Amino acid sequence: MTSPLYAQVKEHILEHIRSGAWTPGTRVPSENELVESFSISRMTANRALRELTADGFLSRVPGVGTFVKEPPARSSLLELRNIAEEIAARGHKHAAYIDRQETIDAPQALAEEFELRQPARLFHLMMVHTENGVPVQLEDRYVNPFVAPQFNDQDFADITPTAYLVAAVPVDELEHTVEAIMPTAEQRELLDIGEHEPCLALHRRSWSKGHVVTVATLIYPASRYALYSRYKTSPSGTLSQ
Amino acid sequence: MTSPLYAQVKEHILEHIRSGAWTPGTRVPSENELVESFSISRMTANRALRELTADGFLSRVPGVGTFVKEPPARSSLLELRNIAEEIAARGHKHAAYIDRQETIDAPQALAEEFELRQPARLFHLMMVHTENGVPVQLEDRYVNPFVAPQFNDQDFADITPTAYLVAAVPVDELEHTVEAIMPTAEQRELLDIGEHEPCLALHRRSWSKGHVVTVATLIYPASRYALYSRYKTSPSGTLSQ
DNA sequence: TGTATAAGGTTGTATATACAGTATAGTCGG
DNA sequence: CCGACTATACTGTATATACAACCTTATACA
């Protein structure tokens, strides 16, 4: 049940970074120092530091040391933003209507998305967010009860699911997929849109400590919403090709 | 000058995947088989396979073996990536068809997007990218001749516009807008899609030293492409609410 | 025939060791 | 005072070895 040693070292370093104790530019312990303090071999320390470097948290300089990296500038498209706040920031009125709130047995496809080995139950939530009374987002969300057991006890008229989850569970990894879809009849009805209007579907998965927290599909009517991001690129040029 | 052994093994496997010799689901050599054929230690083979797994090219099952993973047809949202490379990375064949390559007087709307004060001329390029002969992206691009004067001298059958611009001009800021659209009749024809198929439109502007380099609209048929990103969240917690 | 067991191959992790390449600090000599 | 050399620390790579966990297949047994 205990995690591998190299993972423990990674977690130890990540916690110092998350807590703010080690700010960007700070030097982290060298491999030999980790060998001493954790009583591990150098190869194990090397693996921890090498993987954190590949993940973008650290940068290493031969002969000098290992340092906390500057976090990259990222777009709002890729951040976990709360739609209620976005709408409020535009000076408009947000409201939500809950269509379904239930607990289900995970079907095969969902179990795979949640990286579950055994059959399990999942929270399911379907709701519509409106801006000044006009539906702008259909939220179809599944949540892992193992990670967020009290999710289904919340009243999502008061707090959005995103806001609750971000506050309740430390998210350390995100995956986004964006595609264009033609909504189903049920989705059209919930969003109150015409028959041939395409929609943007934002599919999001989030992880916390190796477990999938939630799988959400957010559907935006094309005429009412676009996703936007603008950011400075890092000076070293992370741009490939 | 020779690359490390583990990198050579990675490249060897990637070439088999890119060339199509090893299709998704194919079993790749086990660690012990790589040990024999490359005359390396098992730890070196392990590192090559482990890193390719982390990069999403392989999947491993303890006790069974290592297999080529199904490559999703999707494009990175975070980076400025070259579609020809993305397609090659999936082991597929990229080709491009140039529909229009010209120099125009900037109309009002474009002049504003380029933040031009005075009337100016712009390069205009319209081309279609295909994957195994199937159109997957319609690229409608305008380029500022002041920033990239030799843009129009390139042969974009050889080098994609993105690849040329990234190499020729240091990009320091990016703007992305994503929306779902119903394509026009002309766009449908170029992409060879049906009448009611929605598309993803990725609108991109890039800046270099305060000047707009290029304004591009990239249109993806919904059924053939999605946009994707996955990343570790910055430790300090840039997540808003 | 059906079931338990054993064997062998596979990945996953961990260690001890070795050597190369790089950067820095200090020392020695001019 | 400055330059060359040296010692030291750090990362990067590679090997040989070991054990655990997992899966499949073959074998032995009831």
Side-chain angles (χ1 to χ4, degrees):
Chain A
M1 198 52 215
T2 63
S3 56
L5 291 179
Y6 77 91
Q8 293 179 31
V9 176
K10 285 177 74 173
E11 198 49 44
H12 171 260
I13 293 170
L14 278 178
E15 273 174 16
H16 279 81
I17 298 178
R18 287 202 199 98
S19 73
W22 294 348
T23 55
T26 304
R27 198 195 139 144
V28 309
S30 73
E31 297 184 355
N32 283 321
E33 287 166 347
L34 291 172
V35 164
E36 285 236 339
S37 57
F38 281 85
S39 299
I40 57 179
S41 75
R42 203 195 127 207
M43 284 306 297
T44 301
N46 176 273
R47 176 168 179 183
L49 293 179
R50 181 153 41 81
E51 290 191 358
L52 286 174
T53 304
D55 292 341
F57 293 112
L58 304 177
S59 70
R60 315 194 74 186
V61 182
V64 181
T66 305
F67 305 88
V68 178
K69 207 170 178 181
E70 199 73 41
R74 279 221 186 88
S75 57
S76 70
L77 208 185
L78 305 163
E79 285 170 31
L80 266 186
R81 286 200 62 192
N82 174 349
I83 190 168
E85 281 202 339
E86 272 182 30
I87 290 172
R90 284 196 286 275
H92 293 169
K93 182 167 165 39
H94 166 265
Y97 158 71
I98 295 170
D99 179 64
R100 211 173 306 166
Q101 189 167 4
E102 58 191 350
T103 306
I104 62 162
D105 288 314
Q108 176 69 16
L110 266 176
E112 279 177 21
E113 281 208 272
F114 272 90
E115 299 172 348
L116 298 171
R117 295 203 167 192
Q118 303 156 355
R121 290 177 73 74
L122 295 173
F123 296 141
H124 178 219
L125 173 70
M126 177 110 77
M127 64 188 295
V128 178
H129 296 272
T130 64
E131 178 168 355
N132 289 348
V134 178
V136 291
Q137 184 193 92
L138 174 59
E139 176 168 359
D140 187 2
R141 180 184 295 273
Y142 296 87
V143 173
N144 189 341
F146 178 75
V147 180
Q150 286 157 28
F151 178 80
N152 232 15
D153 303 336
Q154 308 304 313
D155 178 2
F156 294 115
D158 290 340
I159 182 172
T160 67
T162 297
Y164 171 73
L165 286 172
V166 169
V169 182
V171 170
D172 50 37
E173 194 166 357
L174 275 176
E175 176 189 74
H176 286 139
T177 306
V178 180
E179 57 185 335
I181 62 166
M182 289 302 294
T184 66
E186 184 195 3
Q187 291 166 344
R188 282 207 307 274
E189 192 181 338
L190 285 166
L191 286 168
D192 190 25
I193 56 176
E195 192 167 354
H196 293 303
E197 182 171 356
C199 288
L200 212 56
L202 175 65
H203 196 73
R204 174 190 293 160
R205 278 198 293 177
S206 65
W207 283 259
S208 179
K209 296 176 182 169
H211 297 96
V212 175
V213 178
T214 182
V215 171
T217 302
L218 309 175
I219 299 178
Y220 303 87
S223 60
R224 300 175 195 157
Y225 228 85
L227 299 173
Y228 176 82
S229 75
R230 179 166 173 171
Y231 56 98
K232 310 275 184 182
T233 59
S234 62
S236 55
T238 55
L239 307 181
S240 78
Q241 268 285 19
Chain B
M1 201 52 220
T2 63
S3 57
L5 292 178
Y6 78 90
Q8 293 179 30
V9 176
K10 285 177 72 172
E11 199 47 46
H12 172 259
I13 294 170
L14 278 177
E15 271 174 17
H16 279 81
I17 297 178
R18 282 196 280 256
S19 74
W22 293 348
T23 56
T26 304
R27 195 192 142 146
V28 308
S30 72
E31 297 183 356
N32 282 321
E33 288 165 348
L34 291 172
V35 165
E36 286 235 338
S37 56
F38 280 85
S39 299
I40 56 178
S41 75
R42 205 196 126 206
M43 284 306 298
T44 301
N46 176 273
R47 176 168 179 182
L49 293 178
R50 181 152 42 82
E51 291 191 359
L52 286 175
T53 303
D55 292 342
F57 292 105
L58 304 176
S59 70
R60 314 193 75 186
V61 182
V64 181
T66 305
F67 305 89
V68 178
K69 210 170 179 181
E70 192 73 42
R74 55 197 187 184
S75 175
S76 169
L77 257 176
L78 272 180
E79 294 165 32
L80 210 38
R81 283 200 66 190
N82 173 350
I83 190 168
E85 280 204 338
E86 277 180 19
I87 290 172
R90 284 196 286 277
H92 293 171
K93 182 167 164 41
H94 167 265
Y97 158 72
I98 295 171
D99 179 64
R100 209 174 306 166
Q101 189 167 3
E102 59 191 351
T103 306
I104 61 163
D105 288 313
Q108 176 66 19
L110 268 175
E112 280 177 20
E113 280 207 273
F114 273 90
E115 301 173 345
L116 298 171
R117 298 202 167 189
Q118 303 155 356
R121 289 177 73 72
L122 294 173
F123 296 140
H124 178 220
L125 174 69
M126 177 110 75
M127 63 189 296
V128 178
H129 297 272
T130 64
E131 177 168 355
N132 289 347
V134 178
V136 291
Q137 185 193 92
L138 173 60
E139 176 168 359
D140 187 2
R141 180 184 295 274
Y142 297 88
V143 174
N144 188 340
F146 177 74
V147 180
Q150 285 157 28
F151 178 80
N152 232 17
D153 303 335
Q154 309 305 310
D155 179 2
F156 294 115
D158 290 339
I159 182 171
T160 66
T162 297
Y164 170 73
L165 287 172
V166 169
V169 183
V171 170
D172 50 36
E173 193 165 357
L174 277 174
E175 177 191 72
H176 285 144
T177 307
V178 180
E179 57 184 335
I181 62 165
M182 288 304 293
T184 66
E186 185 195 3
Q187 291 166 344
R188 282 205 307 272
E189 191 180 343
L190 285 166
L191 287 168
D192 190 25
I193 55 176
E195 192 168 354
H196 293 302
E197 183 171 356
C199 288
L200 212 57
L202 174 66
H203 196 73
R204 175 190 291 161
R205 276 198 295 176
S206 65
W207 282 260
S208 178
K209 298 174 185 170
H211 298 97
V212 175
V213 178
T214 182
V215 171
T217 301
L218 309 175
I219 298 179
Y220 303 87
S223 59
R224 300 174 195 159
Y225 230 84
L227 300 174
Y228 177 81
S229 75
R230 177 167 174 171
Y231 55 91
K232 313 277 183 176
T233 58
S234 61
S236 53
T238 57
L239 306 180
S240 76
Q241 266 287 14

